[in-house]
Amino acid sequence: MDKFLQLFVSGVALGGIYALIALGFVVIYKATGTFNFAQGGFVLLGTYLTYQLAVEWEVNFYLSTLIAVLAMAGVAMLIERTVLRRMMDQPAFTIILVTVGILLFLQQLVPIIWDEPGLRFANPWLGEVVDIGGVSISHANIWTVVYAGVVFGAFALFFKFTRTGIGMQAAALDQEAAAAQGISVARSFQVSWAIAGAVGVLAGVMLTARGGDALTPAIGFVALRALPAMILGGLDSPGGAVVGGVIIGVAEVLTAGYLEYEWLGANFSSVVPYLVLIFVLLFRPSGLFGTKEVERV
Amino acid sequence: MSAVLEVDGISLSFGGLRVLNEVSFALEPASLLAIIGPNGAGKTSVFNCINGVYRPFEGSIHLDGEEITGARPASIAERGLARTFQNLALFVNLDVVDNLMLGRHHLMKTGYWAGALWVGRAKREEHVHRARCHELIDLLELGDHVGRPVGLLPYGVQKRIEFGRAVAMEPKVLLLDEPVAGMNVEETEVMAGDITSVREELGMAMIMVEHDMQLVMGLAEQIVCLSFGEVIATGDPATVAADPEVIAAYLGTPEDAV
Amino acid sequence: MTDDLRLLRSAGARIGAALAVAAVVVTPLLISSDFWMSVFIAAGVFALGGLGLNLLTGYTGQASLGQAAFVLIGAYTAAWFGADKGWPMLLWMAAAMLAAGLVGAAIGPFALRFKGNYLVVVSIALVFVTVHVLQNWDSFSGGFNGKSVGGISLSFLVDFGDLSIFGKQFTPEQGLFYLTWIVVGLATLAVANIIRTRPGRALQAIRDRDVAAEVIGIRVARNKVIVFALSGAMAGLAGGLDAARVGFLTPGVAESQLLLSIRYVAVIVVGGVGTVVGAIVGALFLGPLPELVEEFSDKINFTVPLVDQPLLKDSATSEGIMSNAVFSEILFSILLVVFLMFQPRGLVGLWHRMVASLKRRGTPTDDAGPDIEPVATPH
C-alpha cells in the first residue's frame, strides 16, 4: 500500500508536469485551432536556458527560471509573428507541418549551443524527503504539484478576470464576432503563444529537475507525451488538461512500478501514455472534456 | 398523386429547443417548390433533415417512394438527392470539370484498383462522364472557367458552379439553399436563367430556399411558408403571397412594424 | 470537346518522362561505385514512401508523422519472410505491403472519427508503439540487437541480385537500383492514375471540403481508411527495399524514427505537396542528404567567420559548431519551414510557375495556363 501511495503521488507530480506541457498545447489550439508541435521545442530550449543560468552562471534557481520564462515567451511570440502569422489562411495540415519544422529546428539548436550529450540539472529540493503517515514523499514531488497548481490557478484567473484573457476566450469562440467587438485576434494569438512558451519552460524545468534523468535534447520529444494528456482531456479544455495529465502520469508511473512482465518489454511505461490515448479515443473521440466538433454547413 | 419527395410531419430539436415542428409537404415530379420564411424559421434545417445531416426525431421522409429518414448523407445522395449550400462548399483547388465530375461520383464505379491500372472500363467511364460534364458546362455557360481552381473565381461564378455540381449528380430532387444570396441583379438573372434551362432540359424537381421574393414568384409552382419551425401556409405563389399569416410573419404584426 | 486525358499532356512532360526513364537505365552503366548506388537506392526508397505520404497528406489533407512506422513494419516483415523464411521476392514484397497496409487500415477507426488534427497524434503514437514492439519482440525482430537481412531473394524473372544483361555483369547494388526504380516507376504510374480518376478526385474533395464530399455521395470514412492503407503499403514496400539495401535492421529509438518521419514530410514538402512527381523530386534532393553530408563533410566544411570555427565537427578533435547529423537535420527543418511558408507546392510548383511565366511571355494573348498557386482551404 505504501508503495502504491508513493507511486501514486509521484504519478500525480509527473501528471502535473504533463498537464503544464499540455496547457501550452491547449492554449494555442484554443486560440488558433492548430496543434503546435513547437511546444516541445519551447520545453527543451527553456530548460537549457534555465540550466545555463542556474548551473553555468550560478544565478539563483528561481530567478533563472523567471528569466527563462520571459525569454521563451519572447521567442514564442517572435515565432508567431514571423512564421505563423503569415500562414493563417493555409490549410490545417500545412500549419501543423510548419510547427513540426520549428520543433526540429529548435531541437537541433540545442546540441549546437550545449555541446554535451547529457547535463546534470537538479532542482534545489532534490533529495529531501518528507514522511507523511509512513509514506515518504520527496520534496520535489510536492513542489511540482504546488507549482503546477499555482500556474493553473494563475492561468484561470487570467482568463476570467483580465481584459486580454476574456478577449482571448471570445476570439476562440468566434473570431469574426470577436473582431467586430474590437478584440484583436492577432493579439490573442500572440498572447497564446507567449503563454505556451512560458508554461513550456516551467514544465521542462520540473521535468528534468525531478532527478534521475539527465538533461538531453530528447526531452523535446518527451514533451510529446503530453499530447495524449491534451487529447485525453479534450483539445480545448485547460481543466481537462489537468485531468488528462494526471491520468497519464499516474498510469505511466504505476506501470513502471508494478508491471514487470517480460513480454511487455523493457521501458514499457514510456509507451503507456500512447496506449491510454488510443484506448480512450476509441470510446470517447472528443476526449473526456472536449467540445464535440460540430460542423456547420 | 405520386410525389417525388414527401416530407411527412418531421420535427427536429436541439437541446430542448424545437427547431422544426411537424413539417409536411410534398414535391411533385418536375416541379419547383420554394420554401420561404423569416430568418431562423428553420428552412435550412429542413434541407439538413432531408439530406441526412440532421436526423428528425419524428416524422418520415420518402424519396421517390423509398424511406430515407435518418440515412447517412452519402447514401441519400446515392439514392438521388443533391443540394447546394448557403455558404459555398466547392472543392476550391479543383477546376470546374473536376468539381462537376465529383458530382457524378456516385454514378461512376471506378475504384482504386481499376483507377490505378487505368484499365479499359475506368478509361471509358472517365471519357463518358467528362463528355456529360462538358455538355452541362456548355448549358450553364461555364466554359471560360475550365482549368482554373474554382476557389480563384468570382463569387457569382462559384455559386453557379456549385449549382452545376448538384445538377451533374442527376438527382431526382435538387435542393437549392439560397441560390442567389449575395448576388447582384445581373448575376441573379444569370442564375435564374440557369435554373430555368436546367428544368427545361433535364426536368428535375427542385426545392429552393430563397429570400428574393421576385425570384421565388417567378420560378416556383408551389410555395411553403415556414415560421418558427411550423408550416403556416402552402399553395401556389399567388395564394401564399395573399395569405394574411404569411404577411404577418414577414412584416410582423402591425404594432411591431416600423 | 473532350479533355486530353493523357498522363503526359505537354511535350515538356513527355520529354521529362523519357529523360527520367533514360536516367534510370543509364545511371548504373555509368556509375559502379557502391556508395553512389546506395545513395540512389535510398532516394528511390524515399520516393516510394513519399509517394504514399503525398497521397495521404498532399491529396487527402491528412498530416501524419507515422511514415517511419510503416517503413519499419515493411522492413522487418520483408526481413522475416524474405531472409528468414526464404520466400521469393514477390511474396515478401506482398507481405511487407500487406503488413504495413493492414496497420494503416487499423488506424481506420480513428480516421472514421477524427479530423486531420487528431490523426497526427495517433500517428506519433504508432511510431512509439511500433518501435517498442520491435525493440522487444526478439523472436521476430531480434530486439535491440537487430536482425540480418542477408540472403533475401531479389529475383523475379531476372535475378536483380546477380544481374547480367547482354553479357554485362552488374553488381548487387546496381541490380537493386534497377529493382527499386522500376518499383518507383510503377508506383508513380499507379498514383498518377488514381489521382486522375474517380477515387483520386474523391480524396481531393475530402481534402478541400469533407462535409460537402459526404453530401455529394463520397464515403469519406471509407476513403480515408483506404488511403491510410495504401499509404502504409507503399511505405512498407519502401521499407522492404531499404532492408535489402542496408542488409541489417535495428529498431533504433522512437525519437530517431520520428526524425525519419519528419524527413519524409520534408521530402514531399520540398518536392511538391499534392503533385505526383513531387515525392521523387524531393527524394532526389533530400532523401540521402545525411549520407551525402557524412561522405562529403570535408568538402562542405568551411570556417565560419565571427566564431572562427569549422562548421562541421571533426570526429577526432570534436572541433566545430555542429555534427554532420545535426547539420542535416537543421537543413531539413529550415527547408521544411521555408518551403511551407513561401513555396507550398515545392520545387514542382516552382517549375510549373516558371514554365507558365515563360509561356505567357511568348504568347501574350494566350491564356495564363493553369494557376498552380494552392487555394487556401477554409477550416
Side-chain angles (χ1 to χ4, degrees):
Chain A
M1 195 59 201
D2 287 356
K3 182 186 177 193
F4 174 80
L5 281 177
Q6 222 160 304
L7 288 173
F8 185 81
V9 171
S10 175
V12 171
L14 181 61
I17 296 168
Y18 284 162
L20 275 181
I21 306 175
L23 180 65
F25 282 113
V26 169
V27 72
I28 289 182
Y29 186 85
K30 224 171 136 83
T32 66
T34 187
F35 276 89
N36 170 34
F37 282 98
Q39 187 66 21
F42 299 161
V43 172
L44 179 67
L45 204 57
T47 313
Y48 269 92
L49 218 56
T50 317
Y51 164 86
Q52 181 68 32
L53 289 158
V55 179
E56 298 283 328
W57 292 340
E58 293 173 356
V59 179
N60 173 288
F61 177 80
Y62 301 97
L63 186 61
S64 306
T65 311
L66 180 70
I67 297 172
V69 161
L70 294 176
M72 281 319 293
V75 169
M77 281 168 84
L78 187 72
I79 290 173
E80 194 277 335
R81 188 73 193 78
T82 50
V83 182
L84 276 296
R85 185 77 61 84
R86 296 156 185 268
M87 307 198 62
M88 266 157 65
D89 55 351
Q90 293 290 320
F93 73 85
T94 311
I95 299 177
I96 290 178
L97 296 181
V98 159
T99 67
V100 169
I102 297 170
L103 168 64
L104 187 58
F105 182 78
L106 295 179
Q107 192 140 40
Q108 302 307 319
L109 274 187
V110 166
I112 294 177
I113 305 173
W114 290 275
D115 185 16
E116 269 150 83
L119 298 168
R120 300 304 308 175
F121 180 32
N123 63 31
W125 337 285
L126 204 67
E128 309 261 340
V129 171
V130 67
D131 200 297
I132 302 173
V135 183
S136 52
I137 295 168
S138 74
H139 277 199
N141 280 341
I142 297 174
W143 272 103
T144 306
V145 174
V146 171
Y147 245 110
V150 168
V151 172
F152 269 92
F155 184 75
L157 291 178
F158 169 77
F159 267 97
K160 277 235 159 57
F161 296 111
T162 65
R163 224 183 110 73
T164 315
I166 295 166
M168 282 172 69
Q169 287 198 338
L173 280 176
D174 188 335
Q175 290 189 4
E176 275 174 42
Q181 293 291 314
I183 293 162
S184 161
V185 175
R187 188 177 145 79
S188 136
F189 281 20
Q190 282 250 276
V191 176
S192 67
W193 276 75
I195 293 174
V199 296
V201 180
L202 293 174
V205 170
M206 304 313 282
L207 186 69
T208 45
R210 265 162 61 83
D213 299 327
L215 178 54
T216 72
I219 65 161
F221 282 133
V222 174
L224 295 184
R225 270 186 235 163
L227 279 171
M230 176 208 189
I231 290 188
L232 199 54
L235 296 175
D236 52 0
S237 156
V242 178
V243 180
V246 170
I247 291 176
I248 298 278
V250 169
E252 186 178 329
V253 173
L254 287 185
T255 14
Y258 283 109
L259 282 185
E260 282 164 12
Y261 302 108
E262 197 163 339
W263 60 271
L264 285 175
N267 229 346
F268 176 67
S269 62
S270 67
V271 292
V272 163
Y274 294 104
L275 293 175
V276 175
L277 167 84
I278 289 172
F279 190 73
V280 170
L281 280 188
L282 279 173
F283 300 102
R284 271 198 75 94
S286 316
L288 298 173
F289 303 97
T291 8
K292 211 174 163 206
E293 270 186 63
V294 180
E295 189 120 4
R296 284 187 64 98
V297 286
Chain B
M1 174 60 213
S2 59
V4 64
L5 183 81
E6 235 172 318
V7 174
D8 191 9
I10 57 167
S11 301
L12 177 74
S13 64
F14 286 130
L17 184 74
R18 196 162 264 231
V19 182
L20 294 177
N21 192 15
E22 294 183 16
V23 170
S24 299
F25 57 85
L27 175 70
E28 298 303 318
S31 73
L32 195 153
L33 179 149
I35 301 179
I36 60 167
N39 282 327
K43 302 181 297 282
T44 298
S45 294
V46 172
F47 275 14
N48 282 334
C49 285
I50 295 174
N51 88 322
V53 174
Y54 298 154
R55 186 189 187 128
F57 70 84
E58 64 175 14
S60 68
I61 302 163
H62 286 82
L63 177 65
D64 211 17
E66 206 183 332
E67 169 135 26
I68 56 167
T69 330
R72 288 185 57 73
S75 115
I76 294 177
E78 282 166 10
R79 290 185 234 180
L81 189 108
R83 77 172 282 186
T84 67
F85 295 86
Q86 200 174 327
N87 307 312
L88 284 166
L90 284 171
F91 306 118
V92 290
N93 288 298
L94 304 177
D95 87 331
V96 195
V97 184
D98 280 337
N99 268 279
L100 263 53
M101 283 296 277
L102 275 159
R104 305 185 69 79
H105 182 85
H106 69 291
L107 302 171
M108 299 170 70
K109 288 200 172 60
T110 305
Y112 284 85
W113 284 117
L117 298 174
W118 190 240
V119 289
R121 199 191 66 198
K123 196 172 166 180
R124 262 198 312 282
E125 191 179 63
E126 192 70 18
H127 279 288
V128 168
H129 285 268
R130 270 180 184 266
R132 197 70 198 85
C133 286
H134 280 290
E135 285 170 32
L136 198 55
I137 285 170
D138 291 344
L139 181 69
L140 302 178
E141 292 170 7
L142 291 166
D144 292 349
H145 309 295
V146 171
R148 286 169 63 79
V150 297
L152 299 174
L153 300 173
Y155 173 79
V157 176
Q158 291 196 37
K159 274 287 222 197
R160 287 167 54 218
I161 292 174
E162 202 193 13
F163 174 67
R165 185 180 70 192
V167 173
M169 291 173 74
E170 297 185 0
K172 293 170 184 155
V173 173
L174 175 52
L175 312 180
L176 302 173
D177 199 347
E178 305 202 13
V180 300
M183 285 190 175
N184 61 30
V185 181
E186 228 169 290
E187 288 170 328
T188 303
E189 264 173 36
V190 176
M191 190 69 172
D194 283 352
I195 295 174
T196 309
S197 46
V198 164
R199 292 188 65 200
E200 279 168 5
E201 296 271 329
L202 306 168
M204 62 185 67
M206 298 182 192
I207 303 180
M208 173 169 88
V209 163
E210 185 50 65
H211 284 294
D212 186 326
M213 286 312 286
Q214 208 184 336
L215 187 79
V216 168
M217 289 300 179
L219 291 180
E221 274 110 30
Q222 215 196 355
I223 294 181
V224 170
C225 182
L226 280 182
S227 178
F228 294 108
E230 296 201 33
V231 176
I232 56 168
T234 311
D236 60 77
T239 320
V240 172
D243 190 299
E245 255 197 280
V246 173
I247 295 168
Y250 258 83
L251 302 176
T253 44
E255 48 274 28
D256 298 341
V258 186
Chain C
M1 78 185 224
T2 307
D3 302 68
D4 190 346
L5 286 182
R6 280 175 301 176
L7 269 183
L8 306 166
R9 266 173 258 182
S10 66
R14 283 190 287 276
I15 293 168
L19 284 178
V21 171
V24 168
V25 172
V26 167
T27 305
L29 297 174
L30 301 178
I31 299 174
S32 57
S33 128
D34 285 354
F35 171 76
W36 280 108
M37 277 299 112
S38 180
V39 161
F40 285 123
I41 297 164
V45 167
F46 272 98
L48 190 55
L51 270 168
L53 185 63
N54 218 346
L55 210 50
L56 184 66
T57 302
Y59 286 105
T60 322
Q62 310 291 309
S64 164
L65 291 178
Q67 210 64 355
F70 298 118
V71 171
L72 274 177
I73 292 167
Y76 275 93
T77 310
W80 170 260
F81 288 112
D84 295 6
K85 304 283 170 215
W87 284 16
M89 183 178 85
L90 283 194
L91 283 182
W92 68 250
M93 281 186 166
M97 290 178 76
L98 194 66
L102 282 177
V103 172
I107 308 268
F110 299 97
L112 309 187
R113 289 159 184 241
F114 312 127
K115 305 263 157 194
N117 281 339
Y118 279 91
L119 281 166
V120 187
V121 182
V122 176
S123 71
I124 292 174
L126 181 68
V127 173
F128 276 87
V129 173
T130 303
V131 170
H132 181 79
V133 168
L134 292 176
Q135 283 172 345
N136 291 286
W137 189 6
D138 291 1
S139 58
F140 172 73
S141 66
F144 287 97
N145 298 328
K147 179 184 196 68
S148 165
V149 200
I152 193 167
S153 159
L154 293 178
S155 131
F156 173 69
L157 300 178
V158 292
D159 186 356
F160 289 95
D162 183 20
L163 195 59
S164 145
I165 301 171
F166 302 128
K168 168 147 177 67
Q169 177 68 37
F170 291 92
T171 66
E173 278 74 17
Q174 288 169 326
L176 187 57
F177 172 94
Y178 280 128
L179 174 64
T180 305
W181 282 95
I182 288 169
V183 172
V184 172
L186 293 175
T188 309
L189 202 61
V191 168
N193 279 335
I194 286 175
I195 289 314
R196 65 177 170 157
T197 50
R198 176 175 174 269
R201 264 195 305 272
L203 297 180
Q204 296 172 74
I206 292 168
R207 174 194 64 197
D208 282 1
R209 217 56 189 294
D210 54 357
V211 179
E214 182 85 35
V215 166
I216 60 169
I218 293 167
R219 312 274 172 156
V220 172
R222 196 169 158 260
N223 278 286
K224 275 190 189 171
V225 173
I226 293 174
V227 81
F228 258 96
L230 273 180
S231 170
M234 291 172 77
L237 185 52
L241 290 166
D242 204 41
R245 173 181 79 101
V246 295
F248 194 83
L249 297 174
T250 49
V253 291
E255 285 76 14
S256 66
Q257 297 300 344
L258 269 184
L259 289 179
L260 180 65
S261 284
I262 299 176
R263 212 200 298 183
Y264 271 99
V265 170
V267 160
I268 63 165
V269 166
V270 170
V273 172
T275 63
V276 174
V277 294
I280 299 175
V281 174
L284 285 170
F285 275 86
L286 289 191
L289 186 75
E291 283 91 334
L292 290 175
V293 170
E294 196 64 49
E295 179 78 11
F296 296 104
S297 56
D298 325 340
K299 304 224 166 61
I300 304 166
N301 214 354
F302 62 92
T303 305
V304 179
L306 292 177
V307 287
D308 199 31
Q309 277 197 41
L311 176 74
L312 296 176
K313 251 187 204 126
D314 186 313
S315 50
T317 64
S318 80
E319 270 291 297
I321 298 173
M322 58 183 88
S323 69
N324 295 340
V326 169
F327 177 70
S328 322
E329 296 297 343
I330 221 155
L331 261 183
F332 283 132
S333 70
I334 292 172
L335 287 171
L336 187 54
V337 173
V338 166
F339 268 85
L340 283 171
M341 284 181 76
F342 302 109
Q343 187 56 44
R345 286 268 158 127
L347 293 169
V348 173
L350 196 66
W351 171 255
H352 280 306
R353 188 192 280 176
M354 275 161 47
V355 171
S357 80
L358 280 178
K359 261 189 198 156
R360 222 169 312 172
R361 203 169 304 156
T363 48
T365 49
D366 198 17
D367 71 320
D371 205 311
I372 45 78
E373 274 306 283
V375 180
T377 317
H379 271 281

